[in-house]
Amino acid sequence: MDRDATADVNAPHSMGTTIIGVTYNGGVILGADSRTSTGLYVANRASDKITQLTDNVYICRSGSAADSQIVSDYVRYFLHQHTIQLGQPATVKVAANLVRLLSYNNKNMLQTGIIVGGWDKYEGGKIYGIPLGGTILEQPFAIGGSGSSYLYGFFDQAWKEGMTKDEAEQLVVKAVSLAIARDGASGGVVRTVTINNEGVTRNFYPGDQLPLWHEEVEAHNSLLDILNASSPEPMST
Amino acid sequence: MSSIGTGYDLSVTTFSPDGRVFQIEYAAKAVDNSGTVVGIKCKDGIVIGVEKLIASKMMLPGSNRRIHSVHRHSGMGVAGLAADGRQIVARAKSEAHNYESTYGEPIPIKELADRVASYVHLCTLYWWLRPFGSGVILGGYDRDGPQLYMVEPSGVSYRYFGAAIGKGRQAAKTEIEKLKLSELTCRQGVIEVAKIIYGVHDEAKDKTFELEMSWVCDESNRQHQKVPEALLEEAKAAAKAALEEMDAD
């Protein structure tokens, strides 16, 4: 509290972040918070960390915002060419492999953890985790970002194989909101993207509608609303 | 038959007045004069067979392989100039390897065929290169099922149910058309291919030959491999028996 509170607004944008990808019976659900911080300053409180690569493959980005954006731009470009050459949609595995080649070969310069999730007709719904060094690991679910530290135990207990779409969505939203409660670098709203054979659906959960956890205080309206109040008396005895 | 393209056939970068590139056609002749290569797509895989004409009795049986594995899931039978064929195989192996390194999955057979065809075609575009004097029959089994492609010296590549190149291709194609490929398993297909190759071999004109066969099917675990010894012998015996039956008529 006594620390000098001036934030370094010129620091590189980092997404403290909580990102999650889970498979369910029929597809995948990707979820993320929406806080982009520059040091202590929240540069964007409603960012979209779930980025599209193709019609059927999306990624969750964490770490350096610039690095993760560049990687996703490159992979989108390569996948586009690959799709033209192949004559059919790219598989999730190929997308994930392209991401990890970039992550691994440029590991000295990049600082980004990525979760690749999508659906293709050969393998169905798949999630691939590609953390900092460029390892690629196919997993039934993956978590990443600074907020994920608080979710390992939670997933150990709450994760089940073969959930329905709604169960999986509830799990993802609950998990992100738990992480937001504990991780200072995660916050804002919860965004989810559901991908299955029928297509892609985006969902949005405003921050003030998320459940409250231990010792969390209820949200209340901004005191600035008083200025718009009909009564000229801001305070009453 | 084709005419001699006097004056327009000296370079692969010259068209004739009737729109033909004679050098490519001459390259195809090299393939037409070589031992027959047959490929069929059965319901559970691919079978490739080669009539390997033996130039000399001093050669070790099993040498001078005409069928090569390109990747775990695919292989090619080569007809025409052997050294040219080896180059095509090497390129195919390299493409398959690079694809897997970049994309993390085995190269789809369609993609492999496209790349091989592009490479063969490339060598018909420059005056300082000559066209490949060999054609290949490429068979493989990927996640879209078994597929068979043929690449000609012109760089043209099509997908086939059954294909044949080399000396006995006309007769072989006629025989293949008689088969009900969608009902054959590879095990049965191996016997049929052996019969076809023995059938089209011209005893009078050519020297002895060695039968070389490979398959990639469910039974081989979708890996490209030589047809197992026992089945090969069974196929040869059946083929010889079929020949005798024909001669007896």
Side-chain angles (χ1 to χ4, degrees), chain A residues 90-112:
Chain A
T91 58
V92 189
K93 190 176 195 181
V94 164
N97 212 54
L98 290 172
V99 171
R100 76 102 177 176
L101 282 177
L102 281 170
S103 284
Y104 178 76
N105 289 325
N106 296 295
K107 62 161 79 194
N108 293 329
M109 291 184 284
L110 293 175
Q111 203 179 73
T112 169

Side-chain angles (χ1 to χ4, degrees), chain A residues 82 85 91 94 97 101 122, chain B residues 99 102-105 111 143-144:
Chain A
H82 180 68
Q85 180 85 345
T91 58
V94 164
N97 212 54
L101 282 177
Y122 300 107
Chain B
Y99 183 98
T102 307
Y103 296 105
E105 57 171 22
E111 183 66 23
R143 61 191 181 191
D144 290 316

Side-chain angles (χ1 to χ4, degrees), chain A residues 73-138:
Chain A
D73 285 348
Y74 269 113
V75 176
R76 189 181 305 120
Y77 168 65
F78 294 139
L79 276 177
H80 180 65
Q81 294 191 316
H82 180 68
T83 303
I84 292 172
Q85 180 85 345
L86 225 56
Q88 58 184 31
T91 58
V92 189
K93 190 176 195 181
V94 164
N97 212 54
L98 290 172
V99 171
R100 76 102 177 176
L101 282 177
L102 281 170
S103 284
Y104 178 76
N105 289 325
N106 296 295
K107 62 161 79 194
N108 293 329
M109 291 184 284
L110 293 175
Q111 203 179 73
T112 169
I114 290 174
I115 295 179
V116 179
W119 184 94
D120 60 63
K121 70 182 190 210
Y122 300 107
E123 300 278 346
K126 284 288 178 191
I127 294 284
Y128 292 85
I130 303 162
L132 245 40
T135 352
I136 179 172
L137 190 58
E138 197 252 299

Side-chain angles (χ1 to χ4, degrees), chain A residues 35-51:
Chain A
R35 179 170 290 184
T36 304
S37 34
T38 333
L40 288 173
Y41 173 67
V42 176
N44 187 348
R45 60 184 168 96
S47 46
D48 183 7
K49 302 181 187 180
I50 308 178
T51 303

